[in-house]
Amino acid sequence: MIVRPGGPSDVGAVLGLLDEAVRWLVSRGRAGQWGSRPFSTNPKRVGELESWTDDLHVAELGGETVGALAIGPAPEYAPPAVGPEVYVTALVGSRRRPGAGRLLLEHARAEAVRRNADRVRVDCYAGGGGALVAYYVSNGFTPTATFTVEGDWPGQVLEVPLRG
């Protein structure tokens, strides 16, 4: 599996991964994270994805897109960072090809070092029994702050410090 820079030509493949993730979540009764409708049917979500292409990184296996990572500014609900950071604004991996998410998070750490950042931060859905928070913790992240979006969507900010 390799990671390469992504761009506008990857939008269709990444939408496919996001739609796959929604189907998987719904099949497990976890529609609270992203809802039950495919990303590709929501113009607002498609627009968000198109905005990620400035700093998009794609995982490929045998020429197939199996994961995507977007880096960007922290959202307004995240507490301000103390020092320079790399903020993971999106991460998705194919359920059919495990390992892409972990590889992309390692890539985010390498990007942070390359950019002379002090930390990598990410936020995620904290509902559904905390499964996604546990995933990030298993990848070396530490929970830092909680937040709520639109009154009922529970979120968690996590980080990996890169310097002591």
Side-chain angles (χ1 to χ4, degrees):
M1 196 175 307
I2 63 156
V3 176
R4 65 164 176 81
S9 64
D10 295 299
V11 168
V14 176
L15 275 173
L17 289 172
L18 291 164
D19 288 350
E20 175 189 337
V22 169
R23 284 190 302 274
W24 184 84
L25 288 165
V26 168
S27 75
R28 281 152 182 78
R30 293 173 39 199
Q33 181 174 334
W34 284 341
S36 59
R37 294 186 51 220
F39 265 67
S40 59
T41 64
N42 184 322
K44 179 182 175 192
R45 286 187 163 171
V46 172
E48 288 172 354
L49 171 57
E50 289 169 344
S51 75
W52 300 342
T53 61
D54 289 343
D55 208 348
L56 181 67
H57 308 262
V58 174
E60 285 187 341
L61 181 62
E64 176 188 1
T65 299
V66 295
L69 163 83
I71 296 171
E76 59 187 48
Y77 52 75
V82 178
E85 71 176 350
V86 162
Y87 202 98
V88 174
T89 57
L91 176 71
V92 64
S94 174
R95 302 305 302 183
R96 296 173 290 107
R97 304 284 189 188
R102 289 186 191 282
L103 177 65
L104 288 163
L105 289 173
E106 290 171 14
H107 181 76
R109 284 187 194 90
E111 275 295 299
V113 168
R114 189 181 70 74
R115 297 176 188 196
N116 203 30
D118 294 336
R119 67 188 38 81
V120 177
R121 288 198 305 164
V122 64
D123 66 75
C124 69
Y125 180 62
L132 193 51
V133 173
Y135 172 78
Y136 284 109
V137 168
S138 76
N139 279 280
F141 285 77
T142 301
T144 58
T146 60
F147 61 93
T148 304
V149 176
E150 297 179 11
D152 63 351
W153 194 91
Q156 177 73 58
V157 178
L158 301 98
E159 74 174 40
V160 172
L162 300 173
R163 303 183 205 303

